[in-house]
Amino acid sequence: MIRHSIFSEDTQAAVAFSSAAYESNAYFMRNFSRCRELLLVEKDPEGAAEAMMFGIRHARLLHLDDFLLPVVYIDWMLPELEKELMKQGIPESVVWESLKDVEIWIQSYRKYHQGQTGLDRIEWVFRSLAGKVRRFGSLQFEEVTYEFPFLIYENRQSGEFMALACPDVMIDQDGYISGTNGRSMIREIRTYLDFKDRTVTGYSADLKKGTVSVDAPVSLNLEEWELKLAPGEKAVAVHIPEGSDLSPDSVDSSLKTAKKYYENHILVCESWMLDAHLEHILPQTGRLISFMQRFNKMPVMTERPQILERVMGFDFTMEALEHFSCTTSLQTSLKKYLLDGNEMFTTAGFMPWK
């Protein structure tokens, strides 16, 4: 095995130990060829992840280290992956920074599987391997189809933004999409859009709080407001890798560098890091608060807030909250906030990319 900089020494050792068992089995070589074709030729990370799962299930039947298999395949593909990504015009430094995301998720797997080496966030990682997710400095970027149920308008004169909810979205009494966090509903409204006489009327998002203002609809004069983004159109999503430097200078540098490679003028994001409630548990001058405040916020439907798994752990349950042993100041603040009966929310957001 060639030693690659994207893998830790522990990962390299695990792959070196197990590669021969997979390489000597005709099924795994065929399965590898199919995964390779889907990633390198067809640029289909979803299909490659599905093919990978067949390989994992076969490895389990043979009592092999099943979730190590994707790591082995990635190791075999790495030299070709580098060349293929550079063919897309991605600088070598960006290629290797993007590929390092693999080891981040291997470390996450190791944390929750008694130190074993493996990878279970396969489709996400394969998106990086196919060149769809690229890392520029602190942040990752990905061309996506915009799916949040809001039309984004910009005032032609002032540059102010408004987000109007699409029709038939059910909103609860607090302005969140009904069912979010499994929360109870006292009342709800159904959103609508009415286009008439060069105006559009509907319910708008409170772009600071990340809720829908349900008290009264608003009307926008389309002579003054330009539609910038609607569901089904292309956008660029920003992702925040674990351990990223979110200092303002680092974020500015990432945005400036990445902008050279994309045509879109609106960035979108969905993350626990956009939740306005972070202001209740973090220092106002902190890097995370600064990052959160860059985005205009909108509610998004999730069954539970993402912050629970990302801060407390992927195996965390609310039932264990009272006895949860905190090891960081963020965990301590979040635990107290939740025990006081408060909620956190995964939040959608957008920002102009100038």
Side-chain angles (χ1 to χ4, degrees), residues 33-320:
S33 294
R34 181 57 178 151
C35 289
R36 174 191 168 280
E37 179 183 14
L38 286 163
L39 275 177
L40 298 182
V41 181
E42 300 183 25
K43 304 294 190 297
D44 180 6
E46 294 81 9
E50 184 179 359
M52 185 74 255
M53 289 308 302
F54 283 110
I56 288 172
R57 287 194 285 268
H58 197 80
R60 191 175 302 139
L61 290 172
L62 298 178
H63 304 289
L64 296 172
D65 196 345
D66 49 1
F67 279 96
L68 181 60
L69 182 64
V71 185
V72 172
Y73 281 8
I74 292 169
D75 180 72
W76 291 350
M77 277 188 277
L78 212 47
E80 286 186 282
L81 280 167
E82 178 190 11
K83 293 178 183 178
E84 185 60 34
L85 291 172
M86 291 182 69
K87 281 183 185 178
Q88 299 179 24
I90 309 173
E92 184 177 5
S93 59
V94 175
V95 168
W96 286 105
E97 282 300 310
S98 300
L99 292 178
K100 285 181 181 179
D101 194 56
V102 179
E103 181 64 34
I104 291 175
W105 289 108
I106 291 172
Q107 293 293 343
S108 176
Y109 183 92
R110 187 174 283 130
K111 178 179 178 181
Y112 295 102
H113 295 85
Q114 294 76 50
Q116 291 183 332
T117 300
L119 182 66
D120 55 4
R121 297 299 175 111
I122 298 167
E123 183 179 326
W124 168 253
V125 167
F126 279 7
R127 281 154 65 182
S128 292
L129 301 187
K132 294 183 179 293
V133 177
R134 304 174 183 180
R135 182 165 182 170
F136 295 86
S138 295
L139 303 173
Q140 293 170 315
F141 299 83
E142 180 183 17
E143 290 184 331
V144 298
T145 299
Y146 173 69
E147 296 181 340
F148 301 142
F150 292 89
L151 301 178
I152 297 174
Y153 287 88
E154 182 180 16
N155 188 283
R156 301 175 193 273
Q157 296 297 321
S158 68
E160 178 188 359
F161 283 94
M162 294 281 286
L164 297 186
C166 292
D168 300 320
V169 180
M170 302 306 297
I171 304 296
D172 71 16
Q173 65 279 354
D174 297 314
Y176 296 101
I177 298 176
S178 296
T180 297
N181 289 0
R183 61 205 314 270
S184 300
M185 285 180 290
I186 300 173
R187 61 185 178 89
E188 59 181 352
I189 65 162
R190 183 187 300 273
T191 61
Y192 71 93
L193 285 175
D194 183 19
F195 291 88
K196 184 185 301 182
D197 299 328
R198 293 295 298 164
T199 64
V200 56
T201 301
Y203 288 97
S204 65
D206 184 323
L207 298 180
K208 291 190 179 296
K209 295 181 179 179
T211 59
V212 172
S213 302
V214 296
D215 292 336
V218 300
S219 294
L220 302 182
N221 183 334
L222 296 180
E223 301 287 343
E224 301 173 0
W225 293 85
E226 178 184 2
L227 179 62
K228 302 297 291 187
L229 190 61
E233 296 182 339
K234 291 182 179 180
V236 175
V238 60
H239 306 290
I240 309 100
E242 183 176 341
S244 292
D245 178 4
L246 294 182
S247 63
D249 287 346
S250 293
V251 173
D252 287 342
S253 177
S254 293
L255 295 173
K256 181 178 179 181
T257 304
K259 185 71 171 66
K260 303 172 186 176
Y261 297 88
Y262 300 95
E263 296 180 356
N264 299 72
H265 300 291
I266 299 286
L267 271 178
V268 298
C269 185
E270 178 182 338
S271 176
W272 65 272
M273 293 187 184
L274 304 191
D275 186 2
H277 294 84
L278 289 170
E279 294 183 340
H280 298 294
I281 64 174
L282 287 173
Q284 297 302 299
T285 57
R287 296 179 177 185
L288 217 166
I289 295 296
S290 173
F291 181 79
M292 178 268 289
Q293 290 175 342
R294 290 174 181 261
F295 287 85
N296 298 291
K297 301 165 192 63
M298 306 171 291
V300 63
M301 168 60 185
T302 54
E303 294 183 359
R304 61 185 248 140
Q306 188 187 54
I307 193 172
L308 298 183
E309 63 182 38
R310 298 302 171 88
V311 173
M312 308 302 253
F314 283 93
D315 55 352
F316 174 80
T317 63
M318 283 296 291
E319 291 74 20

